[in-house]
Amino acid sequence: MEKPASVRVNRREFIRYGMCGLTAIAAGSLAWSCGGGGSSGGTGPPAGGGGLPIDLSMEETLVEMVDLTPVYHWVFAGPGGPGFPGPAIFAASGDELAFRVTNHLDEVHEFRVLGAGQGGADVDSGPIAPGETVEVRFTAPAGGTYLYLDPRNAPVNRALGLHGAFVVLPKNARENTPVNTPYSSPTASVQRLFDDLGTAAHFPGDPWIPVRPGGVAVNPDLPPDIEPFLFRTRIWMFAQVDPAFNALAASGANAEPGGGIDPAAFLQGFLPRYFLINGRSGAFAAHGPQAKESLLEGFIGEPHLVRLLNAGVSRPSPHLHANHFYVLAVDNVVQDSAIHIDSMTLATVEDAALPGRLSLKGGSRVDWLVAFIRPPDIPGNPDVPLRTLIPEELSTVIDGVVQSPLDYPMHNHTEQSQTAAGGNYPQGGITHIVFLGDLDKVPFPT
Amino acid sequence: MAIVTIRRGDVPPGEEAHFLQFVCPPTFGGGPLDPQAPTLEVRRDLDVQIDLPLPPEVAARTGAGRDTIRLWIIEDPDDSAGGRTFPSKLIRTREGDVVHAPVGAALNTHTIHWHGIEPSSMNDGVGHTSFEISGNFVYQFATSQAGTYFYHCHKNTVLHFEMGLYGLLIVDPAQGEGFVAANLSGVPGFPGYDAADFVVPYDVEALWVPDEFDSRWHELGHDAFMQDCRPDDPAGQATFTRDGILHDFRPDVFVITGVVSVPTTAPGVRPEVGATITDPGVAVSARAGDTVLIRLLNAGYTVQEYTLGLDAWAIASDGHPFGVPPRNAYSSPFLLPSGTPFRLTTARRVDLLVRATTAGTFPFAVKYIDWVNNTLYHEARTVITVSP
């Protein structure tokens, strides 16, 4: 484990580091639009732009589960306030970054970015005492999907909410060219896959577009600071909650020696009761403006990248309907063989040493390409647009819901995860994939 | 300082009907919609209750101590002899088929999701994105890619899939049964490989579907622990049940393709190890020189770890053959050396190709591992027997 330059600072001291080359920004939190967001939710200013350090703090918060049960958590907060998960942070490979991490909790915590250091080492703050601020500086690694978390007493602190996504785009991703993959050093097969999007006969439509072109938001329901980066990209942070342990933490327990929570007992006794993707469950992650940060939504021929992360202590088996997906990278290893499957294993952070070919064992950070091809098993002439081929379906209304556009689930197939509070199927770890219209970008009738 | 609350939020305006559909799917019938001329019709009815006998060694370890466990299966009503099996009866189609599947739901409401097949939304069999069947509906889908799929009920899926409402769905390549799609360029030793059409013949087909049951769940009703339906307030606090157990999976019965694994270890001793299953529906018999195709599906809720005592080539996953153009050309088959453990989570499939070169008995083991705490619940065993 690498320990880059860490500067211990007093929390009242204001330190400004002039840094250059921070071309992408720590642009807010997936949680900023979370149900009104609490006292400091809503929208927040961009952080980390203009060479400023990125301020993160560790905070107490209550997170309402899908059945409105409030559950105590420890979470990371960005300028927009606390988030569950913590703010999604975007940077470009090679950026000089500084994170200023303040511990507002009552016990020692730590900040780590898995695999983001030199040669794949972790970036780590070292212990951060209550009330202390530690600055962590490092160079943004190769393009990929990274997980930041509190590694102390694993998996306790991470599972109690101290985690978030750190996304690195290749250099020049904003200009979209010549970059056409999410990686700084793609394998030959991944490069060929992205080259074929929009050019090969079997992938009619668009190439993958790393950053939304132009200056106007196309998805106004997303937080404005990250909207450009989620144009044809989604982040799915999987988490599981056993409120019994959160209640212990709320009562003052922690997993430090003598703190009342034994990490081994935590792992043995953890019985997840709520299952979340980006901090939401069930219908709230599938329908409505607040779901847009998770929902895969596009026209046929609009390929999307999905960055899946598992911060929890179970091993989800996410299954996508309507399209198989390509496995591009597993724990930041870009795949030589990009398999095309419909269900995938997400491992835990601790599973890194499991045997087996990467794509079979899965990882805690996995990238998919969803090519958004026309669902291939709709019978009929493939040259006829679906709006002409299946008009009866697209005009069917059942109990007030029109069956257009074409709506399908993506869900964890380990079906215990499709519950909340022991039942209430399917209010668990799920979101949807929606096909809005045909290849010619004519919407399906609604 | 006051603790910030991150709120769930209310049902967004205009989304009430979608939120109600999400937890209380409507019913529908008829079909097929937008029909195309079928090349194959497959009928299925659900659900049918069967009681799977449990050997005394297994019954004694279940909570209820019963000598059977209640399953729900999907029946083939056109097969008077063998239509009621667990797993539910295999469906075989060919690449390029247009399938019409009249499905009857005589008891309660159900759906069938054709897992890995990618049809239109109303033919995808997911209640909360379309409807549940009350009565009859004719699903329509094509089978555009040869490979290993399965079908299962997608209502209250956590329970209905557990109860046995599933079966394999195999799409054979155009050459028919006995051939499998694969790209074996650079993979030696499989006679008859057709490099132009990317198919290879096989002599023996094994269908290995490890699953496990929590016997407590098998006492529940169809709608167990589902949310109340409140059209005016579909996500209201009072609509949620809070006394359910469907997040708490404690398997106590372990099967491979419907055959119960009988423990040989004393009760309470972990890991529990089963006697070698010799049932001809599971154990494989081949002759030296045969090509054996193994279609493997994790139909359970544990992480399953498999070990095979023969070299095997992984040639496909989830119905899609590695390396076969155009859309699967970005991958390649890989060798799983004899004795190398590998894992699959729920619903994943892998197709393995084995060349039986020498006579002998070769073990296959399945470890059923808790998806959270890594408890090894059970190890089930069977064999591939290769005769000279």
Side-chain angles (χ1 to χ4, degrees):
Chain A
M1 186 176 70
E2 178 198 17
K3 277 192 148 189
S6 294
V7 183
R8 201 162 293 273
V9 295
N10 185 288
R11 61 197 291 193
R12 292 179 188 83
E13 188 181 351
F14 182 68
I15 295 178
R16 180 189 297 263
Y17 286 93
M19 288 177 303
C20 301
L22 196 64
T23 54
I25 54 174
S29 164
L30 287 173
W32 280 3
S33 62
C34 194
S39 66
S40 54
T43 60
L52 292 176
I54 298 159
D55 281 311
L56 289 176
S57 62
M58 291 134 159
E59 308 282 351
E60 299 180 291
T61 188
L62 293 172
V63 183
E64 282 182 355
M65 299 290 107
V66 67
D67 64 350
L68 293 172
T69 299
V71 178
Y72 178 87
H73 278 80
W74 297 333
V75 301
F76 283 102
F84 181 65
I89 297 165
F90 287 76
S93 181
D95 289 347
E96 296 300 326
L97 301 177
F99 288 83
R100 202 161 51 186
V101 186
T102 303
N103 178 6
H104 284 152
L105 299 171
D106 296 334
E107 54 284 307
V108 175
H109 288 275
E110 196 167 330
F111 171 76
R112 179 176 293 175
V113 190
L114 295 177
Q118 294 274 337
D122 298 333
V123 169
D124 195 280
S125 66
I128 310 174
E132 269 196 317
T133 297
V134 169
E135 178 146 324
V136 180
R137 283 177 282 169
F138 63 102
T139 305
T145 304
Y146 299 84
L147 181 62
Y148 70 87
L149 48 79
D150 176 359
R152 279 182 83 80
N153 305 311
V156 177
N157 294 11
R158 175 182 89 239
L160 289 179
L162 286 168
H163 59 258
F166 174 58
V167 172
V168 182
L169 303 175
K171 275 182 203 267
N172 304 324
R174 264 187 181 285
E175 290 73 40
N176 289 353
T177 179
V179 175
N180 73 336
T181 86
Y183 306 110
S184 305
S185 302
T187 58
S189 52
V190 167
Q191 182 68 58
R192 190 158 50 92
L193 171 59
F194 279 78
D195 287 345
D196 284 353
L197 296 171
T199 61
H202 55 280
F203 287 134
D206 297 348
W208 179 64
I209 301 170
V211 181
R212 188 247 307 137
V216 180
V218 298
N219 199 338
D221 295 313
L222 293 176
D225 301 318
I226 58 171
E227 186 270 345
F229 307 108
L230 295 181
F231 178 59
R232 297 277 167 85
T233 298
R234 292 291 179 272
I235 297 169
W236 291 341
M237 175 72 77
F238 286 69
Q240 306 97 40
V241 175
D242 178 348
F245 288 104
N246 302 68
L248 283 177
S251 69
N254 60 47
E256 296 295 312
I261 300 174
D262 171 51
F266 180 97
L267 185 59
Q268 196 57 38
F270 192 86
L271 178 60
R273 186 171 168 86
Y274 298 100
F275 303 86
L276 306 97
I277 297 176
N278 292 341
R280 301 183 195 284
S281 301
F284 290 88
H287 292 292
Q290 83 295 335
K292 298 285 188 183
E293 61 203 18
S294 298
L295 195 58
L296 272 175
E297 207 172 31
F299 288 82
I300 292 166
E302 293 185 346
H304 280 62
L305 174 74
V306 186
R307 304 174 182 275
L308 300 93
L309 304 98
N310 181 22
V313 291
S314 68
R315 293 151 188 90
S317 196
H319 166 49
L320 182 68
H321 291 227
N323 261 213
H324 279 47
F325 51 83
Y326 294 92
V327 179
L328 304 174
V330 177
D331 290 343
N332 295 120
V333 177
V334 186
Q335 300 286 283
D336 286 321
S337 175
I339 64 173
H340 191 210
I341 56 178
D342 64 44
S343 310
M344 174 86 194
T345 303
L346 294 186
T348 70
V349 169
E350 286 75 26
D351 285 344
L354 275 184
R357 179 145 153 167
L358 289 171
S359 52
L360 281 184
K361 85 173 176 61
S364 59
R365 294 99 66 201
V366 173
D367 293 345
W368 294 355
L369 178 80
V370 179
F372 261 88
I373 62 169
R374 170 164 154 168
D377 296 314
I378 298 177
N381 184 345
D383 296 326
V384 175
L386 287 180
R387 62 182 180 274
T388 309
L389 191 68
I390 57 167
E392 191 179 359
E393 172 163 348
L394 292 171
S395 62
T396 297
V397 180
I398 307 174
D399 283 12
V401 176
V402 61
Q403 302 296 307
S404 173
L406 294 174
D407 188 6
Y408 305 82
M410 188 296 299
H411 62 97
N412 181 348
H413 217 295
T414 305
E415 295 280 337
Q416 304 94 301
S417 69
Q418 298 305 290
T419 64
N424 304 296
Y425 176 87
Q427 297 282 31
I430 186 171
T431 184
H432 281 192
I433 174 171
V434 178
F435 292 77
L436 297 170
D438 281 300
L439 182 64
D440 55 10
K441 304 203 190 281
V442 173
F444 295 135
T446 53
Chain B
M1 194 172 71
I3 293 181
V4 170
T5 297
I6 297 175
R7 296 194 53 234
R8 181 203 71 172
D10 297 322
V11 177
E15 292 289 342
E16 294 82 0
H18 275 116
F19 271 64
L20 181 68
Q21 177 199 38
F22 197 85
V23 292
C24 303
T27 56
F28 191 75
L33 301 174
D34 307 299
Q36 299 283 327
T39 60
L40 180 68
E41 182 174 276
V42 181
R43 284 160 55 83
R44 285 295 182 270
D45 285 345
L46 67 181
D47 68 280
V48 173
Q49 299 192 0
I50 62 171
D51 289 315
L52 185 72
L54 296 179
E57 300 89 335
V58 178
R61 296 172 195 227
T62 63
R66 300 201 179 133
D67 59 4
T68 60
I69 189 166
R70 170 65 48 88
L71 301 179
W72 306 336
I73 56 102
I74 303 169
E75 175 187 30
D76 177 0
D78 294 332
D79 181 350
S80 56
R84 294 189 168 189
T85 62
F86 170 72
S88 305
K89 193 178 165 188
L90 171 68
I91 295 175
R92 276 202 114 98
T93 80
R94 262 190 211 191
E95 191 171 285
D97 268 335
V98 173
V99 181
H100 281 186
V103 170
L107 182 63
N108 215 278
T109 62
H110 296 281
T111 74
I112 292 182
H113 168 57
W114 318 91
H115 187 116
I117 304 292
E118 289 155 347
S120 68
S121 177
M122 287 183 74
N123 289 298
D124 193 42
V126 177
H128 67 267
T129 54
S130 58
F131 61 90
E132 292 170 354
I133 301 171
S134 175
N136 294 277
F137 181 76
V138 181
Y139 288 107
Q140 171 177 276
F141 56 90
T143 49
S144 64
Q145 174 61 62
T148 304
Y149 303 85
F150 67 114
Y151 64 103
H152 66 85
C153 178
H154 217 295
K155 172 192 171 150
N156 201 8
T157 317
V158 57
L159 180 62
H160 287 214
F161 182 42
E162 157 76 4
M163 291 297 290
L165 290 169
Y166 70 82
L168 280 172
L169 192 168
I170 293 172
V171 181
D172 292 313
Q175 291 78 1
E177 194 171 342
F179 291 84
V180 63
N183 181 343
L184 298 184
S185 60
V187 177
F190 290 96
Y193 171 59
D194 178 342
D197 286 342
F198 296 102
V199 291
V200 64
Y202 59 86
D203 303 294
V204 178
E205 182 181 52
L207 307 178
W208 282 342
V209 186
D211 190 3
E212 71 298 287
F213 306 128
D214 179 338
S215 59
R216 302 172 308 151
W217 291 21
H218 289 247
E219 312 284 321
L220 300 172
H222 288 80
D223 295 330
F225 309 122
M226 287 188 70
Q227 202 173 334
D228 286 345
C229 303
R230 283 275 302 273
D232 58 325
D233 188 15
Q237 195 164 16
T239 63
F240 286 87
T241 179
R242 291 189 176 78
D243 56 356
I245 60 168
L246 295 177
H247 64 315
D248 183 9
F249 186 65
R250 306 180 195 173
D252 48 16
V253 178
F254 303 85
V255 300
I256 300 177
T257 324
V259 178
V260 176
S261 176
V262 181
T264 58
T265 44
V269 172
R270 289 266 169 83
E272 190 176 86
V273 177
T276 298
I277 294 173
T278 56
D279 185 294
V282 178
V284 174
S285 295
R287 289 178 302 183
D290 279 353
T291 295
V292 179
L293 172 66
I294 299 165
R295 301 182 190 266
L296 182 57
L297 160 68
N298 179 346
Y301 291 156
T302 57
V303 176
Q304 295 178 357
E305 182 174 292
Y306 316 99
T307 311
L308 178 64
L310 283 167
D311 284 355
W313 282 91
I315 57 164
S317 186
D318 295 355
H320 284 216
F322 303 146
V324 173
R327 290 199 182 111
N328 298 300
Y330 311 96
S331 55
S332 51
F334 60 96
L335 178 68
L336 283 164
S338 171
T340 306
F342 64 100
R343 294 183 173 196
L344 296 177
T345 47
T346 305
R348 298 192 69 180
R349 290 91 69 207
V350 167
D351 294 345
L352 303 175
L353 213 50
V354 172
R355 187 80 186 140
T357 51
T358 55
T361 300
F362 304 95
F364 175 69
V366 184
K367 291 179 175 173
Y368 304 77
I369 299 167
D370 188 273
W371 81 307
V372 177
N373 64 24
N374 284 322
T375 297
L376 171 55
Y377 290 110
H378 186 91
E379 179 176 328
R381 296 175 173 177
T382 189
V383 286
I384 296 178
T385 302
V386 180
S387 56

